[in-house]
Amino acid sequence: MTKAKMKKVVIPKFSSEAEEAAWWDTHRPEIEADIRRRIKKKPVSLGNLLRGGKPSRPVTLRVSQDDLESARRLAARRGLGYQTYIKMLLRNALSEDSVEGVVNNFCSYVEVQNGFQYWSNAGSLSPQTQAAIKTSDIVLVPAEGFVGYVGPLFPKGTDDLFHFLRTNAPSYTKVELAAEDEDYKELALHAETVYIATVLVRLLVAPVALGLIVEYLKNRFGSRLGKTEVRASMILDQTNASNTKTLRLSYEGPAIAFEDTMREALSTIISTSQPPAHNVSGKKVSPLGTREDDHR
Amino acid sequence: MTIDDVRKYLASVRFRPAEPDSQNIREFLGIAKAEAVERGDQEGATTIWCLETALRIQDLYLRAFSQMKEHKFYQAWCDLERAEIALASLQRHDTTSWTEFCLGFIQTHIEHWQSIFPYKLFFSPEFIALKKTCSICGKIVTPRKPCGHIKGHIYDGEECILEVTPQILGISFVDKPLQKYSVVFAGDPETGTPCDQYNYGIVEYAVNALRNPFDAWNVEHTKRIQPHSRFSHVGRNDPCPCGSTKKYKKCCGPKEGVLCPHMEFHFDVPPPPEIPTEGLLAV
């Protein structure tokens, strides 16, 4: 038995509203048939949309009676089952709470706790180093241990990077290392991947830091960059801004895509972290659209 | 002998015999370098270091080629890697004689040779560098207290390298190693001695087709359809010979043939007549 080939209805780009209206007029039967076919194939419902493909698991959760009554009431007002409504609220809250995202194939970010506040008070560091970190703009921070070895570890060549940053950073940009000299240890993973130490940086200095890292890579690896993979992380500390989330932006991919990908990611993060601007009418406007709009 | 004689020797590498003896040249350069260092001529010492390194690269490449002719493939692989490392060092300092001394040719062709070797899996150590020592001054180097010497630079005609005291944490398998010499070899189950289980047919083909190590050649890694008749020994439910993990009957079975990895060789100088130039199947 052969399956009939389903023609996908593609909505073209229109140059005018009149053209758009005409297209919808002529294609209406086609669109209706397409919708009927799709509903038959898989029922469209809020449930299906929320599920997003992965099967769900039943969990037992003790919930207060008051909350359950509120949920039933508010769900009824929206025309939803109370359990569907609760799951919808859960999903919204989770996405707002965990700042996590994927920029593209090579770049992702996640919220972390250990920014400048943490490192300028870290017990493993001397008071002098702690004080130096407090006033620094760029700090190379270690990873915590590896396969049975407990202690701060930096990727191979971090001292080289440290010297490079100190020598080439602008005079007003202070660079520090979050380890005492005698505790400084490097981990060498001898594959061809280039591991860059995690760079803790104040958000607005991040583009400068990125530029320096790119220069370092070109300087040290030259033409071999074309065949190499890079793993790098930047911890973007925004504690001076109204939005106090500290993000770790990680890159894992080909060296040749590193600069452009990270610049794009940084500019997105920087622009979304700006405090809301005010437009002409005095109403608050945020760069990406606001939750207030959604709740009208 | 003069420095100019050395340059002429280096420039005539194409005509050097298969097993060259550069011992007297190396000795001459060693003495000349020591003299330059004596009179404080850092630039002169560095120039001689460059000539020494160029000579070393050429000798390693020639030796690798001879070893391949004698079927000592793993030794050739190691010599090719040594030459590759020396080229990277030299490239940081002086590329003026790159073409004259055929170093560009050697660099490109080392890549070609490495791409046709059958090694796919390597050991890679994971270790912690407990301390680093400068090879020039012997001092321990720390991030805030560098010794003043820069890794890779030439001081008194010697390259500064950092010697590391390691603490090995483990060994992993990788396919893109930094240390190419750590090839995975099988061990004889009875004696425990390493045995070479690799099929060097392709490397043998290339080295037999070349009369002179400096005859240029190129290899294109592509795919080609081979007729099913060549795979009559492969069952329908066996993994497809094309290298995908699917079953033969699900993968290339329904197609007109098996899409096999294929290497297309291009030789600047035509190979000897007894070398076939069409349709070889490396199994």
Side-chain angles (χ1 to χ4, degrees):
Chain A
M1 191 181 81
T2 53
K3 283 195 199 156
K5 265 208 169 163
M6 290 227 271
K7 218 175 72 167
K8 195 172 166 184
V9 176
V10 178
I11 302 171
K13 285 203 168 56
F14 303 106
S15 51
S16 72
E17 265 189 34
E19 198 189 313
E20 191 173 354
W23 187 90
W24 282 100
D25 271 339
T26 47
H27 286 78
R28 193 177 161 142
E30 206 181 309
I31 305 269
E32 285 179 356
D34 187 55
I35 292 177
R36 254 180 263 126
R37 268 200 305 268
R38 286 172 189 275
I39 288 176
K40 249 195 239 159
K41 220 174 65 168
K42 193 175 181 187
V44 174
S45 72
L46 186 59
N48 264 350
L49 295 172
L50 283 178
R51 238 171 277 141
K54 248 191 187 165
S56 59
R57 273 180 42 213
V59 298
T60 306
L61 207 58
R62 286 198 175 280
V63 182
S64 78
Q65 304 249 33
D66 289 338
D67 282 342
L68 280 176
E69 276 164 26
S70 303
R72 280 183 211 271
R73 207 178 54 240
L74 293 165
R77 204 190 289 177
R78 281 171 168 69
L80 295 169
Y82 82 96
Q83 293 202 7
T84 311
Y85 175 65
I86 289 174
K87 284 189 278 193
M88 188 187 84
L89 289 178
L90 178 64
R91 182 165 277 219
N92 285 350
L94 286 172
S95 76
E96 210 184 302
D97 216 37
S98 87
V99 181
E100 203 176 288
V102 175
V103 177
N104 58 32
N105 278 343
F106 309 129
C107 230
S108 63
Y109 60 89
V110 70
E111 192 180 348
V112 292
Q113 301 305 319
N114 299 348
F116 278 92
Q117 175 80 352
Y118 172 84
W119 285 105
S120 47
N121 294 295
S124 55
L125 303 174
S126 69
Q128 296 92 315
T129 309
Q130 287 178 353
I133 287 177
K134 215 171 187 173
T135 55
S136 291
D137 306 291
I138 301 176
V139 181
L140 299 178
V141 301
E144 296 297 321
F146 178 85
V147 183
Y149 177 88
V150 174
L153 284 177
F154 293 87
K156 182 175 87 121
T158 297
D159 50 359
D160 200 22
L161 174 65
F162 182 53
H163 295 145
F164 186 90
L165 291 174
R166 276 206 159 163
T167 315
N168 296 284
S171 51
Y172 48 82
T173 306
K174 241 182 101 183
V175 181
E176 202 33 85
L177 182 76
E180 299 304 326
D181 264 11
E182 49 274 15
D183 299 328
Y184 174 81
K185 301 273 185 301
E186 286 184 355
L187 174 67
L189 298 171
H190 264 200
E192 260 193 3
T193 308
V194 173
Y195 294 87
I196 303 280
T198 300
V199 180
L200 167 64
V201 66
R202 306 209 187 264
L203 181 63
L204 295 175
V205 179
V208 171
L210 177 63
L212 289 167
I213 296 171
V214 169
E215 219 185 294
Y216 169 77
L217 287 171
K218 287 182 182 158
N219 197 288
R220 290 292 178 268
F221 298 94
S223 56
R224 282 178 288 156
L225 268 189
K227 303 171 214 156
T228 331
E229 295 266 305
V230 164
R231 277 209 210 175
S233 275
M234 289 179 94
I235 298 185
L236 308 168
D237 192 307
Q238 306 177 71
T239 42
N240 293 333
S242 53
N243 173 2
T244 57
K245 292 193 168 101
T246 300
L247 298 177
R248 172 192 281 270
L249 175 65
S250 300
Y251 181 90
E252 194 177 325
I256 38 174
F258 176 69
E259 184 175 7
D260 291 337
T261 310
M262 288 289 277
R263 280 213 189 280
E264 191 199 316
L266 275 183
S267 66
T268 310
I269 292 172
I270 290 177
S271 65
T272 54
S273 79
Q274 299 298 336
H278 287 77
N279 68 8
V280 176
S281 65
K283 290 210 180 97
K284 266 194 179 178
V285 170
S286 117
L288 294 182
T290 57
R291 294 223 81 88
E292 291 92 79
D293 291 333
D294 295 343
H295 292 163
R296 237 186 299 140
Chain B
M1 200 184 287
T2 63
I3 293 289
D4 269 338
D5 290 332
V6 175
R7 282 192 202 276
K8 285 198 190 109
Y9 180 77
L10 288 170
S12 65
V13 64
R14 285 174 189 266
F15 313 107
R16 212 174 291 169
E19 317 256 321
D21 182 13
S22 322
Q23 179 66 14
N24 53 336
I25 311 230
R26 281 197 293 273
E27 277 171 11
F28 166 76
L29 287 175
I31 295 168
K33 191 165 73 178
E35 285 169 1
V37 171
E38 269 284 330
R39 54 175 195 268
D41 179 10
Q42 286 295 325
E43 213 182 294
T46 303
T47 306
I48 295 172
W49 176 87
C50 292
L51 295 174
E52 279 179 325
T53 310
L55 180 62
R56 184 156 171 267
I57 292 165
Q58 289 180 347
D59 280 350
L60 282 167
Y61 186 71
L62 288 168
R63 194 169 77 181
F65 188 80
S66 299
Q67 285 165 335
M68 283 189 276
K69 286 273 191 198
E70 292 163 26
H71 294 195
K72 292 178 185 158
F73 296 108
Y74 177 64
Q75 290 91 314
W77 171 267
C78 292
D79 274 348
L80 290 173
E81 190 189 4
R82 290 183 185 106
E84 189 187 17
I85 293 170
L87 278 162
S89 284
L90 182 56
Q91 208 163 15
R92 283 194 281 269
H93 296 282
D94 179 23
T95 51
T96 51
S97 316
W98 214 247
T99 318
E100 197 191 336
F101 298 161
C102 295
L103 297 174
F105 176 98
I106 293 176
Q107 196 170 42
T108 323
H109 286 76
I110 286 179
E111 264 183 56
H112 294 334
W113 285 115
Q114 287 173 336
S115 76
I116 66 172
F117 264 74
Y119 303 142
K120 300 286 177 234
L121 207 57
F122 305 83
F123 287 120
S124 180
E126 290 144 2
F127 64 86
I128 295 181
L130 294 173
K131 67 173 188 204
K132 294 191 191 181
T133 317
C134 172
S135 66
I136 302 290
C137 61
K139 286 207 186 111
I140 295 177
V141 173
T142 58
R144 294 182 183 83
K145 291 196 206 83
C147 64
H149 295 116
I150 302 171
K151 188 175 88 163
H153 280 214
I154 312 293
Y155 301 93
D156 286 353
E158 296 302 327
E159 192 185 6
C160 173
I161 54 176
L162 291 177
E163 288 152 3
V164 162
T165 309
Q167 178 185 333
I168 307 272
L169 292 179
I171 310 251
S172 53
F173 287 111
V174 297
D175 56 0
K176 290 197 187 76
L178 200 52
Q179 296 163 187
K180 298 194 171 88
Y181 64 80
S182 10
V183 176
V184 174
F185 287 106
D188 186 303
E190 279 164 44
T191 62
T193 50
C195 56
D196 194 338
Q197 77 277 15
Y198 290 97
N199 178 339
Y200 296 98
I202 298 176
V203 187
E204 227 179 289
Y205 170 77
V207 83
N208 289 341
L210 293 164
R211 280 175 259 239
N212 186 299
F214 287 93
D215 287 341
W217 62 280
N218 193 2
V219 62
E220 202 186 309
H221 294 266
T222 174
K223 289 189 191 240
R224 196 189 257 192
I225 303 235
Q226 297 286 353
H228 291 292
S229 53
R230 283 190 148 161
F231 300 97
S232 50
H233 57 285
V234 181
R236 278 169 37 85
N237 286 305
D238 293 341
C240 188
C242 78
S244 79
T245 48
K246 295 194 265 191
K247 284 187 185 180
Y248 192 177
K249 68 183 184 193
K250 292 269 181 188
C251 186
C252 290
K255 301 186 199 154
E256 57 182 87
V258 180
L259 196 63
C260 289
H262 175 75
M263 291 188 209
E264 185 108 2
F265 285 87
H266 304 278
F267 298 103
D268 268 22
V269 173
E274 62 271 16
I275 303 290
T277 51
E278 270 299 318
L280 282 182
L281 192 65
V283 273

